[in-house]
Amino acid sequence: MTLPFGTAPVDPAPVWTAECLLPAVGASVAEARALVRRELGRWGLDELVDDCSLIVSELASNVVRHGGNVFTLRLGSNGTWVYGEVFDQGDGVPHQREADVDSIGGRGLLIVDELADDWGVAGSGRGGKTVWFLAGAGSPSPLPVVPHQMRIAVG
């Protein structure tokens, strides 16, 4: 099955891909992390597992808290970098905010910004949005955000 990765700022297209549709419930955050660990391990990207797991955990947690009923996690890699997308049908656009020192939340996108080489949001409001990230590229992507066709391998 071939599906578009609507915002992939990577070229050439990934060699390995994975996709998972999950309900927007707390247990899905751990399931999303497990997918990252399994696939990146399979792809020989052990050095990116921890950072990508934390990024995906933060993005999935945001969906559970603010998004729709389900979300899609997509991952792709060429063996050097990892590109990921989390799509949900919820309204609104996520944005970084400064959390008060005593706050127990509000730091998720600050963590994503620190760990990812590049990240962003595509789409907004009705119809949902995609939050994407790139890790392992070494610096923010100088490439334009363009659609790619990717082969999806699940399981």
Side-chain angles (χ1 to χ4, degrees), residues 28-30 32-33 36 50-64 71 73 86 108 112 133:
S28 293
V29 176
R33 278 193 308 266
V36 170
D50 290 339
D51 285 353
C52 289
S53 293
L54 185 50
I55 291 168
V56 166
S57 184
E58 293 298 334
L59 298 179
S61 295
N62 281 350
V63 173
V64 169
F71 67 97
L73 167 62
V86 174
V112 171
F133 69 90

Side-chain angles (χ1 to χ4, degrees), residues 62-63 66-68 70-72 86-91 127-131:
N62 281 350
V63 173
H66 307 290
V70 297
F71 67 97
T72 303
V86 174
F87 169 80
D88 74 84
Q89 298 170 326
D91 293 336
K129 74 270 185 191
T130 299
V131 181

